[in-house]
Short mmCIF file of all heavy atoms in Angstrom, two decimals:
data_model
loop_
_atom_site.label_atom_id
_atom_site.label_comp_id
_atom_site.label_asym_id
_atom_site.label_seq_id
_atom_site.Cartn_x
_atom_site.Cartn_y
_atom_site.Cartn_z
N MET A 14 0.84 -1.18 0.00
CA MET A 14 0.00 0.00 0.00
C MET A 14 0.89 1.25 0.00
O MET A 14 1.78 1.38 0.82
CB MET A 14 -0.90 -0.04 1.22
CG MET A 14 -1.80 1.13 1.37
SD MET A 14 -2.84 0.92 2.83
CE MET A 14 -4.25 1.79 2.28
N GLU A 15 0.63 2.14 -0.93
CA GLU A 15 1.42 3.37 -1.03
C GLU A 15 0.91 4.43 -0.07
O GLU A 15 -0.30 4.56 0.13
CB GLU A 15 1.33 3.94 -2.45
CG GLU A 15 2.18 3.21 -3.44
CD GLU A 15 2.20 3.94 -4.77
OE1 GLU A 15 2.28 5.17 -4.79
OE2 GLU A 15 2.12 3.25 -5.80
N ALA A 16 1.84 5.18 0.49
CA ALA A 16 1.46 6.30 1.34
C ALA A 16 0.91 7.42 0.46
O ALA A 16 1.38 7.62 -0.67
CB ALA A 16 2.68 6.79 2.11
N PRO A 17 -0.10 8.15 0.95
CA PRO A 17 -0.63 9.26 0.15
C PRO A 17 0.43 10.33 -0.05
O PRO A 17 1.31 10.52 0.80
CB PRO A 17 -1.79 9.78 0.99
CG PRO A 17 -1.61 9.23 2.35
CD PRO A 17 -0.75 8.02 2.23
N GLU A 18 0.34 11.00 -1.19
CA GLU A 18 1.29 12.07 -1.49
C GLU A 18 1.09 13.22 -0.50
O GLU A 18 -0.02 13.62 -0.22
CB GLU A 18 1.05 12.58 -2.91
CG GLU A 18 2.01 13.67 -3.33
CD GLU A 18 1.73 14.17 -4.73
OE1 GLU A 18 1.33 13.37 -5.58
OE2 GLU A 18 1.91 15.38 -4.95
N GLU A 19 2.19 13.70 0.03
CA GLU A 19 2.12 14.81 0.98
C GLU A 19 2.09 16.12 0.22
O GLU A 19 2.89 16.34 -0.69
CB GLU A 19 3.34 14.77 1.90
CG GLU A 19 3.31 15.86 2.95
CD GLU A 19 4.49 15.78 3.88
OE1 GLU A 19 4.63 14.75 4.56
OE2 GLU A 19 5.28 16.74 3.91
N ARG A 20 1.14 16.98 0.57
CA ARG A 20 1.08 18.32 -0.01
C ARG A 20 1.58 19.31 1.04
O ARG A 20 1.27 19.17 2.22
CB ARG A 20 -0.35 18.67 -0.41
CG ARG A 20 -0.81 17.92 -1.63
CD ARG A 20 -2.27 18.19 -1.93
NE ARG A 20 -2.62 19.58 -2.09
CZ ARG A 20 -2.66 20.24 -3.25
NH1 ARG A 20 -2.37 19.60 -4.36
NH2 ARG A 20 -3.02 21.50 -3.31
N SER A 21 2.32 20.27 0.59
CA SER A 21 2.79 21.30 1.51
C SER A 21 2.74 22.65 0.81
O SER A 21 2.69 22.73 -0.42
CB SER A 21 4.21 21.00 2.00
OG SER A 21 5.11 21.04 0.91
N GLY A 22 2.77 23.67 1.60
CA GLY A 22 2.75 25.02 1.06
C GLY A 22 3.23 26.00 2.10
O GLY A 22 3.50 25.63 3.24
N SER A 23 3.34 27.23 1.69
CA SER A 23 3.72 28.28 2.64
C SER A 23 2.95 29.54 2.32
O SER A 23 2.56 29.78 1.18
CB SER A 23 5.23 28.54 2.59
OG SER A 23 5.60 29.00 1.31
N MET A 24 2.72 30.31 3.37
CA MET A 24 2.03 31.59 3.23
C MET A 24 2.74 32.59 4.14
O MET A 24 3.01 32.29 5.31
CB MET A 24 0.56 31.47 3.62
CG MET A 24 -0.19 32.77 3.56
SD MET A 24 -1.95 32.57 3.92
CE MET A 24 -2.59 32.56 2.25
N VAL A 25 3.05 33.75 3.59
CA VAL A 25 3.71 34.81 4.35
C VAL A 25 2.82 36.03 4.29
O VAL A 25 2.38 36.44 3.21
CB VAL A 25 5.10 35.14 3.76
CG1 VAL A 25 5.74 36.30 4.51
CG2 VAL A 25 5.99 33.92 3.78
N LEU A 26 2.54 36.59 5.46
CA LEU A 26 1.74 37.81 5.54
C LEU A 26 2.61 38.93 6.10
O LEU A 26 3.30 38.73 7.11
CB LEU A 26 0.54 37.63 6.48
CG LEU A 26 -0.58 36.75 5.97
CD1 LEU A 26 -0.27 35.30 6.18
CD2 LEU A 26 -1.86 37.14 6.62
N ARG A 27 2.59 40.07 5.45
CA ARG A 27 3.27 41.26 5.95
C ARG A 27 2.19 42.32 6.14
O ARG A 27 1.52 42.70 5.17
CB ARG A 27 4.33 41.75 4.97
CG ARG A 27 5.03 43.01 5.45
CD ARG A 27 6.11 43.46 4.47
NE ARG A 27 6.69 44.71 4.90
CZ ARG A 27 6.31 45.91 4.47
NH1 ARG A 27 5.36 46.04 3.57
NH2 ARG A 27 6.89 47.00 4.92
N ALA A 28 2.01 42.76 7.37
CA ALA A 28 0.93 43.71 7.66
C ALA A 28 1.51 44.99 8.27
O ALA A 28 2.48 44.95 9.03
CB ALA A 28 -0.06 43.08 8.63
N TRP A 29 0.88 46.11 7.92
CA TRP A 29 1.29 47.39 8.48
C TRP A 29 0.12 48.36 8.42
O TRP A 29 -0.86 48.12 7.71
CB TRP A 29 2.51 47.96 7.75
CG TRP A 29 2.26 48.40 6.33
CD1 TRP A 29 2.00 49.67 5.90
CD2 TRP A 29 2.24 47.58 5.16
NE1 TRP A 29 1.82 49.70 4.54
CE2 TRP A 29 1.96 48.41 4.06
CE3 TRP A 29 2.41 46.22 4.93
CZ2 TRP A 29 1.87 47.93 2.76
CZ3 TRP A 29 2.31 45.74 3.63
CH2 TRP A 29 2.05 46.60 2.58
N LEU A 30 0.23 49.43 9.17
CA LEU A 30 -0.77 50.49 9.15
C LEU A 30 -0.20 51.64 8.34
O LEU A 30 0.81 52.25 8.73
CB LEU A 30 -1.13 50.96 10.56
CG LEU A 30 -1.74 49.88 11.45
CD1 LEU A 30 -1.94 50.41 12.87
CD2 LEU A 30 -3.04 49.38 10.87
N GLU A 31 -0.82 51.92 7.21
CA GLU A 31 -0.36 52.98 6.31
C GLU A 31 -0.42 54.32 7.04
O GLU A 31 -1.47 54.70 7.56
CB GLU A 31 -1.24 53.01 5.06
CG GLU A 31 -0.72 53.87 3.95
CD GLU A 31 0.41 53.21 3.19
OE1 GLU A 31 0.45 51.98 3.08
OE2 GLU A 31 1.26 53.96 2.68
N GLY A 32 0.69 55.01 7.12
CA GLY A 32 0.73 56.30 7.80
C GLY A 32 0.48 56.21 9.29
O GLY A 32 0.21 57.22 9.93
N GLY A 33 0.50 55.01 9.85
CA GLY A 33 0.27 54.83 11.27
C GLY A 33 -1.18 54.96 11.69
O GLY A 33 -1.49 54.92 12.87
N GLU A 34 -2.07 55.11 10.72
CA GLU A 34 -3.50 55.27 11.03
C GLU A 34 -4.15 53.93 11.34
O GLU A 34 -3.95 52.96 10.60
CB GLU A 34 -4.22 55.93 9.85
CG GLU A 34 -3.74 57.32 9.51
CD GLU A 34 -4.01 58.30 10.64
OE1 GLU A 34 -5.08 58.22 11.27
OE2 GLU A 34 -3.12 59.14 10.90
N PRO A 35 -4.94 53.82 12.42
CA PRO A 35 -5.53 52.53 12.81
C PRO A 35 -6.50 51.95 11.78
O PRO A 35 -6.70 50.75 11.73
CB PRO A 35 -6.23 52.83 14.13
CG PRO A 35 -6.26 54.29 14.27
CD PRO A 35 -5.24 54.88 13.35
N ASP A 36 -7.09 52.79 10.95
CA ASP A 36 -8.05 52.28 9.96
C ASP A 36 -7.42 52.13 8.57
O ASP A 36 -8.13 52.01 7.57
CB ASP A 36 -9.28 53.18 9.89
CG ASP A 36 -8.95 54.60 9.46
OD1 ASP A 36 -7.77 54.98 9.51
OD2 ASP A 36 -9.88 55.34 9.08
N ALA A 37 -6.10 52.13 8.50
CA ALA A 37 -5.40 52.05 7.21
C ALA A 37 -4.57 50.77 7.12
O ALA A 37 -3.40 50.80 6.76
CB ALA A 37 -4.52 53.28 7.02
N LEU A 38 -5.20 49.64 7.43
CA LEU A 38 -4.51 48.35 7.38
C LEU A 38 -4.13 47.99 5.95
O LEU A 38 -4.93 48.13 5.03
CB LEU A 38 -5.41 47.25 7.96
CG LEU A 38 -4.86 45.82 7.89
CD1 LEU A 38 -3.65 45.67 8.80
CD2 LEU A 38 -5.95 44.82 8.24
N ARG A 39 -2.92 47.52 5.79
CA ARG A 39 -2.44 47.01 4.51
C ARG A 39 -1.79 45.66 4.79
O ARG A 39 -1.00 45.52 5.73
CB ARG A 39 -1.40 47.93 3.87
CG ARG A 39 -1.88 49.35 3.63
CD ARG A 39 -2.96 49.41 2.56
NE ARG A 39 -3.36 50.77 2.31
CZ ARG A 39 -4.44 51.36 2.79
NH1 ARG A 39 -5.25 50.70 3.59
NH2 ARG A 39 -4.73 52.60 2.49
N VAL A 40 -2.11 44.66 3.98
CA VAL A 40 -1.52 43.33 4.15
C VAL A 40 -1.10 42.81 2.79
O VAL A 40 -1.90 42.79 1.85
CB VAL A 40 -2.50 42.34 4.81
CG1 VAL A 40 -1.83 40.98 5.02
CG2 VAL A 40 -3.02 42.88 6.14
N ARG A 41 0.15 42.42 2.67
CA ARG A 41 0.68 41.79 1.47
C ARG A 41 0.79 40.30 1.77
O ARG A 41 1.37 39.92 2.79
CB ARG A 41 2.05 42.37 1.15
CG ARG A 41 2.81 41.73 0.02
CD ARG A 41 2.37 42.13 -1.36
NE ARG A 41 1.97 43.49 -1.47
CZ ARG A 41 2.48 44.39 -2.28
NH1 ARG A 41 3.46 44.06 -3.07
NH2 ARG A 41 2.00 45.60 -2.32
N ILE A 42 0.23 39.46 0.91
CA ILE A 42 0.21 38.02 1.13
C ILE A 42 0.92 37.33 -0.02
O ILE A 42 0.61 37.57 -1.18
CB ILE A 42 -1.24 37.50 1.23
CG1 ILE A 42 -1.99 38.22 2.36
CG2 ILE A 42 -1.26 35.99 1.42
CD1 ILE A 42 -3.49 37.96 2.37
N LEU A 43 1.89 36.49 0.31
CA LEU A 43 2.58 35.64 -0.66
C LEU A 43 2.28 34.20 -0.28
O LEU A 43 2.44 33.82 0.88
CB LEU A 43 4.08 35.88 -0.63
CG LEU A 43 4.57 37.28 -0.94
CD1 LEU A 43 6.07 37.39 -0.70
CD2 LEU A 43 4.24 37.66 -2.36
N SER A 44 1.82 33.41 -1.25
CA SER A 44 1.50 32.02 -0.93
C SER A 44 1.89 31.10 -2.08
O SER A 44 1.94 31.51 -3.24
CB SER A 44 0.01 31.87 -0.65
OG SER A 44 -0.76 32.19 -1.80
N THR A 45 2.16 29.87 -1.71
CA THR A 45 2.48 28.84 -2.69
C THR A 45 2.02 27.49 -2.16
O THR A 45 1.91 27.30 -0.95
CB THR A 45 3.98 28.82 -3.01
OG1 THR A 45 4.22 27.92 -4.07
CG2 THR A 45 4.82 28.45 -1.83
N ILE A 46 1.74 26.60 -3.07
CA ILE A 46 1.42 25.22 -2.73
C ILE A 46 2.26 24.34 -3.65
O ILE A 46 2.25 24.52 -4.87
CB ILE A 46 -0.08 24.91 -2.90
CG1 ILE A 46 -0.89 25.74 -1.90
CG2 ILE A 46 -0.35 23.41 -2.72
CD1 ILE A 46 -2.39 25.60 -2.04
N GLY A 47 3.00 23.40 -3.04
CA GLY A 47 3.87 22.54 -3.85
C GLY A 47 4.93 23.36 -4.55
O GLY A 47 5.54 24.25 -3.97
N THR A 48 5.12 23.06 -5.83
CA THR A 48 6.17 23.74 -6.59
C THR A 48 5.62 24.85 -7.47
O THR A 48 6.32 25.35 -8.35
CB THR A 48 6.92 22.72 -7.46
OG1 THR A 48 5.98 22.10 -8.35
CG2 THR A 48 7.62 21.67 -6.62
N THR A 49 4.37 25.26 -7.24
CA THR A 49 3.79 26.33 -8.05
C THR A 49 4.46 27.66 -7.74
O THR A 49 5.00 27.86 -6.66
CB THR A 49 2.27 26.47 -7.81
OG1 THR A 49 2.05 26.82 -6.44
CG2 THR A 49 1.54 25.20 -8.14
N GLU A 50 4.40 28.56 -8.69
CA GLU A 50 4.95 29.89 -8.49
C GLU A 50 4.13 30.62 -7.43
O GLU A 50 2.92 30.44 -7.33
CB GLU A 50 4.89 30.67 -9.81
CG GLU A 50 5.61 31.99 -9.75
CD GLU A 50 5.71 32.64 -11.12
OE1 GLU A 50 5.95 31.92 -12.10
OE2 GLU A 50 5.53 33.86 -11.17
N ALA A 51 4.78 31.43 -6.63
CA ALA A 51 4.11 32.15 -5.55
C ALA A 51 3.05 33.09 -6.10
O ALA A 51 3.26 33.76 -7.11
CB ALA A 51 5.12 32.93 -4.72
N ARG A 52 1.91 33.10 -5.42
CA ARG A 52 0.85 34.05 -5.74
C ARG A 52 0.96 35.23 -4.80
O ARG A 52 1.29 35.08 -3.63
CB ARG A 52 -0.53 33.39 -5.57
CG ARG A 52 -0.80 32.34 -6.62
CD ARG A 52 -2.23 31.85 -6.52
NE ARG A 52 -2.26 30.79 -5.51
CZ ARG A 52 -3.35 30.16 -5.13
NH1 ARG A 52 -4.52 30.48 -5.64
NH2 ARG A 52 -3.30 29.21 -4.23
N GLN A 53 0.65 36.42 -5.32
CA GLN A 53 0.71 37.64 -4.52
C GLN A 53 -0.67 38.25 -4.44
O GLN A 53 -1.43 38.22 -5.41
CB GLN A 53 1.65 38.65 -5.14
CG GLN A 53 3.08 38.18 -5.21
CD GLN A 53 3.99 39.26 -5.76
OE1 GLN A 53 3.80 40.44 -5.49
NE2 GLN A 53 4.98 38.86 -6.53
N LEU A 54 -0.98 38.78 -3.27
CA LEU A 54 -2.28 39.41 -3.06
C LEU A 54 -2.08 40.55 -2.08
O LEU A 54 -1.30 40.44 -1.13
CB LEU A 54 -3.26 38.37 -2.48
CG LEU A 54 -4.67 38.81 -2.17
CD1 LEU A 54 -5.42 39.21 -3.44
CD2 LEU A 54 -5.41 37.68 -1.46
N ALA A 55 -2.78 41.65 -2.27
CA ALA A 55 -2.77 42.76 -1.33
C ALA A 55 -4.20 43.00 -0.88
O ALA A 55 -5.11 43.07 -1.72
CB ALA A 55 -2.19 44.01 -1.97
N VAL A 56 -4.41 43.10 0.43
CA VAL A 56 -5.75 43.32 0.97
C VAL A 56 -5.70 44.42 2.03
O VAL A 56 -4.63 44.79 2.50
CB VAL A 56 -6.36 42.02 1.55
CG1 VAL A 56 -6.53 40.98 0.46
CG2 VAL A 56 -5.51 41.47 2.68
N THR A 57 -6.89 44.92 2.39
CA THR A 57 -6.94 46.05 3.32
C THR A 57 -7.92 45.87 4.47
O THR A 57 -8.30 46.84 5.11
CB THR A 57 -7.32 47.34 2.55
OG1 THR A 57 -8.60 47.14 1.93
CG2 THR A 57 -6.27 47.69 1.51
N SER A 58 -8.34 44.63 4.73
CA SER A 58 -9.24 44.41 5.86
C SER A 58 -8.95 43.06 6.50
O SER A 58 -8.51 42.13 5.83
CB SER A 58 -10.70 44.46 5.41
OG SER A 58 -11.03 43.30 4.66
N PRO A 59 -9.23 42.95 7.80
CA PRO A 59 -9.04 41.65 8.46
C PRO A 59 -9.89 40.55 7.81
O PRO A 59 -9.45 39.41 7.69
CB PRO A 59 -9.49 41.92 9.90
CG PRO A 59 -9.30 43.39 10.09
CD PRO A 59 -9.60 43.99 8.75
N GLU A 60 -11.09 40.89 7.37
CA GLU A 60 -11.97 39.91 6.72
C GLU A 60 -11.35 39.38 5.44
O GLU A 60 -11.43 38.18 5.15
CB GLU A 60 -13.35 40.52 6.44
CG GLU A 60 -14.13 40.91 7.67
CD GLU A 60 -13.71 42.24 8.29
OE1 GLU A 60 -12.99 43.02 7.65
OE2 GLU A 60 -14.08 42.47 9.45
N ALA A 61 -10.71 40.25 4.67
CA ALA A 61 -10.07 39.82 3.42
C ALA A 61 -8.86 38.93 3.71
O ALA A 61 -8.59 37.98 2.96
CB ALA A 61 -9.66 41.04 2.59
N VAL A 62 -8.14 39.19 4.81
CA VAL A 62 -7.02 38.33 5.20
C VAL A 62 -7.54 36.95 5.55
O VAL A 62 -7.01 35.93 5.09
CB VAL A 62 -6.24 38.94 6.39
CG1 VAL A 62 -5.19 37.96 6.90
CG2 VAL A 62 -5.60 40.26 6.00
N LEU A 63 -8.60 36.90 6.37
CA LEU A 63 -9.19 35.61 6.75
C LEU A 63 -9.66 34.83 5.54
O LEU A 63 -9.47 33.62 5.45
CB LEU A 63 -10.35 35.83 7.73
CG LEU A 63 -9.95 36.36 9.11
CD1 LEU A 63 -11.20 36.69 9.92
CD2 LEU A 63 -9.08 35.37 9.83
N GLU A 64 -10.29 35.51 4.59
CA GLU A 64 -10.76 34.85 3.37
C GLU A 64 -9.59 34.29 2.57
O GLU A 64 -9.64 33.17 2.06
CB GLU A 64 -11.57 35.82 2.51
CG GLU A 64 -12.09 35.19 1.25
CD GLU A 64 -12.90 36.16 0.40
OE1 GLU A 64 -13.14 37.30 0.82
OE2 GLU A 64 -13.27 35.76 -0.72
N ALA A 65 -8.51 35.06 2.46
CA ALA A 65 -7.33 34.60 1.71
C ALA A 65 -6.72 33.36 2.37
O ALA A 65 -6.35 32.41 1.69
CB ALA A 65 -6.30 35.72 1.61
N VAL A 66 -6.63 33.37 3.71
CA VAL A 66 -6.06 32.22 4.42
C VAL A 66 -6.97 31.01 4.25
O VAL A 66 -6.51 29.90 3.97
CB VAL A 66 -5.83 32.55 5.91
CG1 VAL A 66 -5.45 31.30 6.69
CG2 VAL A 66 -4.77 33.63 6.06
N ARG A 67 -8.28 31.20 4.39
CA ARG A 67 -9.22 30.09 4.22
C ARG A 67 -9.13 29.50 2.81
O ARG A 67 -9.06 28.28 2.64
CB ARG A 67 -10.65 30.55 4.49
CG ARG A 67 -11.70 29.44 4.30
CD ARG A 67 -13.10 29.91 4.61
NE ARG A 67 -13.24 30.38 5.96
CZ ARG A 67 -13.50 29.61 7.01
NH1 ARG A 67 -13.63 28.32 6.84
NH2 ARG A 67 -13.63 30.12 8.21
N ASN A 68 -9.09 30.36 1.80
CA ASN A 68 -8.98 29.88 0.41
C ASN A 68 -7.70 29.10 0.20
O ASN A 68 -7.69 28.06 -0.47
CB ASN A 68 -9.07 31.05 -0.57
CG ASN A 68 -10.44 31.65 -0.64
OD1 ASN A 68 -11.44 31.03 -0.27
ND2 ASN A 68 -10.51 32.89 -1.09
N TRP A 69 -6.60 29.59 0.76
CA TRP A 69 -5.32 28.90 0.62
C TRP A 69 -5.35 27.54 1.29
O TRP A 69 -4.89 26.55 0.74
CB TRP A 69 -4.20 29.79 1.19
CG TRP A 69 -2.86 29.14 1.16
CD1 TRP A 69 -2.04 29.02 0.07
CD2 TRP A 69 -2.19 28.51 2.23
NE1 TRP A 69 -0.89 28.36 0.44
CE2 TRP A 69 -0.96 28.04 1.76
CE3 TRP A 69 -2.52 28.31 3.57
CZ2 TRP A 69 -0.05 27.38 2.57
CZ3 TRP A 69 -1.60 27.66 4.38
CH2 TRP A 69 -0.39 27.20 3.87
N LEU A 70 -5.92 27.47 2.50
CA LEU A 70 -6.03 26.19 3.19
C LEU A 70 -6.91 25.21 2.42
O LEU A 70 -6.61 24.02 2.34
CB LEU A 70 -6.57 26.38 4.60
CG LEU A 70 -5.59 27.00 5.59
CD1 LEU A 70 -6.31 27.37 6.88
CD2 LEU A 70 -4.43 26.06 5.86
N GLU A 71 -7.99 25.70 1.83
CA GLU A 71 -8.85 24.84 1.03
C GLU A 71 -8.11 24.35 -0.21
O GLU A 71 -8.23 23.17 -0.58
CB GLU A 71 -10.14 25.56 0.67
CG GLU A 71 -11.06 25.70 1.86
CD GLU A 71 -12.34 26.44 1.56
OE1 GLU A 71 -12.49 27.03 0.46
OE2 GLU A 71 -13.22 26.45 2.44
N ASP A 72 -7.34 25.23 -0.85
CA ASP A 72 -6.54 24.81 -2.01
C ASP A 72 -5.51 23.74 -1.59
O ASP A 72 -5.30 22.77 -2.31
CB ASP A 72 -5.80 25.99 -2.63
CG ASP A 72 -6.72 26.94 -3.40
OD1 ASP A 72 -7.90 26.56 -3.64
OD2 ASP A 72 -6.27 28.04 -3.73
N LEU A 73 -4.90 23.94 -0.45
CA LEU A 73 -3.92 22.99 0.05
C LEU A 73 -4.57 21.64 0.30
O LEU A 73 -4.02 20.60 -0.03
CB LEU A 73 -3.28 23.50 1.35
CG LEU A 73 -2.24 22.60 2.00
CD1 LEU A 73 -1.02 22.45 1.10
CD2 LEU A 73 -1.82 23.17 3.34
N GLY A 74 -5.79 21.64 0.82
CA GLY A 74 -6.50 20.40 1.09
C GLY A 74 -7.31 19.91 -0.09
O GLY A 74 -8.00 18.91 0.01
N SER A 75 -7.26 20.64 -1.20
CA SER A 75 -8.00 20.29 -2.43
C SER A 75 -9.51 20.21 -2.20
O SER A 75 -10.18 19.35 -2.76
CB SER A 75 -7.49 18.98 -3.02
OG SER A 75 -6.19 19.16 -3.48
N GLY A 76 -10.05 21.10 -1.40
CA GLY A 76 -11.49 21.14 -1.22
C GLY A 76 -11.89 21.86 0.05
O GLY A 76 -11.05 22.27 0.84
N PRO A 77 -13.21 22.03 0.24
CA PRO A 77 -13.70 22.75 1.43
C PRO A 77 -13.24 22.07 2.71
O PRO A 77 -13.18 20.86 2.82
CB PRO A 77 -15.22 22.67 1.29
CG PRO A 77 -15.46 22.41 -0.16
CD PRO A 77 -14.28 21.61 -0.62
N MET A 78 -12.91 22.90 3.68
CA MET A 78 -12.50 22.41 4.99
C MET A 78 -13.40 23.03 6.06
O MET A 78 -13.93 24.12 5.85
CB MET A 78 -11.04 22.77 5.27
CG MET A 78 -10.06 22.23 4.27
SD MET A 78 -8.39 22.76 4.59
CE MET A 78 -7.72 21.27 5.27
N THR A 79 -13.54 22.36 7.16
CA THR A 79 -14.32 22.88 8.28
C THR A 79 -13.36 23.37 9.36
O THR A 79 -12.45 22.65 9.74
CB THR A 79 -15.23 21.78 8.87
OG1 THR A 79 -16.06 21.29 7.82
CG2 THR A 79 -16.08 22.33 10.00
N PHE A 80 -13.57 24.60 9.81
CA PHE A 80 -12.71 25.18 10.83
C PHE A 80 -13.55 25.44 12.06
O PHE A 80 -14.70 25.83 11.97
CB PHE A 80 -12.11 26.51 10.33
CG PHE A 80 -11.33 26.35 9.07
CD1 PHE A 80 -11.92 26.60 7.85
CD2 PHE A 80 -10.01 25.94 9.12
CE1 PHE A 80 -11.20 26.45 6.68
CE2 PHE A 80 -9.29 25.79 7.94
CZ PHE A 80 -9.88 26.04 6.72
N SER A 81 -12.96 25.22 13.23
CA SER A 81 -13.70 25.50 14.46
C SER A 81 -12.93 26.45 15.34
O SER A 81 -11.81 26.73 15.13
CB SER A 81 -13.97 24.21 15.20
OG SER A 81 -12.79 23.51 15.45
#
């Protein structure tokens, strides 16, 4: 019996407040899965960061995942 292929990836988030203002969140996201070229994304809200992380985890798992 063969072991299932292991999938791995990485995600790096760089966050800062533009001009030091509390409502000026900026987040640059770099992510990759396996040997694919890194994807880049820029977002400006905590909700968009959460969505990007969720999408990346689902891509890594090749389908919808349940988080608690």
Side-chain angles (χ1 to χ4, degrees):
M14 179 178 211
E15 283 188 41
E18 181 181 325
E19 182 178 299
R20 287 175 56 94
S21 65
S23 63
M24 177 176 261
V25 177
L26 288 82
R27 179 178 176 265
W29 68 97
L30 299 175
E31 191 77 30
E34 297 296 321
D36 61 344
L38 176 67
R39 303 292 182 260
V40 182
R41 174 78 36 122
I42 302 170
L43 300 173
S44 63
T45 186
I46 295 176
T48 59
T49 63
E50 188 172 320
R52 290 187 275 178
Q53 297 183 37
L54 179 65
V56 297
T57 59
S58 73
E60 296 79 15
V62 173
L63 293 173
E64 180 180 355
V66 171
R67 179 178 300 274
N68 290 340
W69 177 78
L70 286 170
E71 287 179 350
D72 288 348
L73 179 65
S75 293
M78 301 176 104
T79 303
F80 302 96
S81 55

